[in-house]
Amino acid sequence: MRLKNISTNNMNIKLSNEIDKQRIPEHIAIIMDGNGRWATKKGLPRSFGHNKGVSVLKEIIKVSKNLGCKVLTVYAFSTENWSRPSEEVDFLLNLFEKVLKKEIDEIHKELIKIKFIGDLSPFPKTLKSILNSSEALTQNNKNFTLNVCVNYGGRQEIVKVAKEIALKSFSGEIKPSEVDEELFNSELLTQGIKDPELLIRTSGEKRISNFLLWQLAYSEIYISEVFWPDFDEFEFLKAIIDYQSRNRRFGGIE
Ligand code: IPE
Ligand code: IPE
Ligand code: MG
């Protein structure tokens, strides 16, 4: 075990040396996928995968913060995830509550600002209250921002913005001719947060699954074949090295 740790550390140090510290993405978004399949493959209930996924997230927050990344946005529960069996949905909601209760002091001590992005209204009262109090406690922290997308759907977010703009226009607060990208951005749930430069999805699936549809317009996409519970510093560094090899043209030419 000790030998394995030493060799893992050496591999991570080797990869770290390949990274250009001046070009670390400021904002990384992650679709943490594959918890259930990881557990099923081991003959375990899916919930074991979700539990293991939490410890991976803790590691990835630490690594990205140390690398100098400023914002991490993770997909924890989509608007479509309500369609899972109620036992799994209940397990996940309980897990969010349990983990936050346990970790919020540490998160605050690390000067991390935590934000929940999504429609929190259908959540149980106790969960809503801990989500809100965690945001309030950490709102002035400046070291690093962790956005957790819960009951989040990109299409629902875009429809919400359209509705807000329609209302403002109807009431005369704005003119239809004033509707532009800047105004649209200012009504998004992510307002004030710059778009992610890099999107990582684990477990090999090559889709966006209703995540940050507007914000990912020009993000680089990296698919890791590894299930989220097996994702680690090594896989994360690989994603950043791959990102740094890309040529971001934004529609232009060299
Ligand atoms: C991601 O893992 C976590 C959530 C969606 C909550 P999954 O639960 O989707 O695991 P797979 O993709 O079924 O293996
Ligand atoms: C996306 O994963 C949502 C989260 C990671 C929270 P899913 O497992 O729900 O997505 P699909 O079903 O593979 O598209
Ligand atoms: Mg999945």
Side-chain angles (χ1 to χ4, degrees), residues 33-35 37 46 84 201 203:
D33 195 23
N35 292 354
R37 278 165 287 163
R46 290 174 58 88
R84 295 186 178 198
R201 180 166 188 155
S203 91

Side-chain angles (χ1 to χ4, degrees), residues 31-33 75-78 81 84 201 205 207 209:
I31 303 178
M32 309 180 289
D33 195 23
Y75 208 3
F77 191 88
S78 77
N81 288 146
R84 295 186 178 198
R201 180 166 188 155
E205 303 294 2
R207 54 177 170 263
S209 301

Side-chain angles (χ1 to χ4, degrees), residues 92-251:
L92 285 167
L93 301 190
N94 280 326
L95 183 66
F96 298 153
E97 197 174 319
K98 196 177 89 188
V99 169
L100 255 186
K101 270 191 192 140
K102 183 160 169 265
E103 304 292 341
I104 192 61
D105 289 341
E106 182 67 20
I107 291 172
H108 189 40
K109 215 169 81 202
E110 288 291 320
L111 300 179
I112 297 173
K113 172 174 164 176
I114 193 162
K115 239 185 97 60
F116 298 95
I117 296 180
D119 175 11
L120 309 188
S121 62
F123 288 146
K125 230 163 125 189
T126 47
L127 176 58
K128 258 193 294 203
S129 127
I130 182 143
L131 298 181
N132 290 329
S133 62
S134 304
E135 280 191 345
L137 175 72
T138 61
Q139 64 181 336
N140 295 319
N141 290 346
K142 301 256 182 306
N143 265 14
F144 187 81
T145 302
L146 173 68
N147 299 311
V148 184
C149 295
V150 280
N151 191 24
Y152 174 85
R155 284 191 172 176
Q156 290 83 342
E157 179 183 32
I158 289 171
V159 169
K160 179 197 104 60
V161 174
K163 221 180 252 174
E164 303 281 350
I165 290 177
L167 282 170
K168 283 189 178 167
S169 171
F170 185 71
S171 71
E173 198 180 318
I174 55 164
K175 295 197 207 82
S177 60
E178 285 168 346
V179 179
D180 58 9
E181 284 187 25
E182 200 188 328
L183 178 76
F184 207 94
N185 265 319
S186 73
E187 296 287 351
L188 287 168
L189 299 171
T190 53
Q191 53 118 133
I193 303 167
K194 70 177 259 194
D195 293 340
E197 293 99 319
L198 172 63
L199 167 71
I200 299 173
R201 180 166 188 155
T202 58
S203 91
E205 303 294 2
K206 297 170 187 69
R207 54 177 170 263
I208 291 183
S209 301
N210 206 14
F211 191 42
L212 302 176
L213 297 181
W214 171 278
Q215 298 85 342
L216 293 175
Y218 254 108
S219 307
E220 295 298 325
I221 300 177
Y222 180 86
I223 307 288
S224 166
E225 293 302 321
V226 165
F227 291 137
W228 178 250
D230 280 333
F231 197 75
D232 56 9
E233 176 171 10
F234 185 71
E235 296 298 326
F236 187 69
L237 296 177
K238 272 189 354 202
I240 300 209
I241 289 170
D242 192 85
Y243 163 82
Q244 292 188 336
S245 73
R246 311 274 180 95
N247 186 356
R248 304 190 76 198
R249 286 187 291 278
F250 299 98

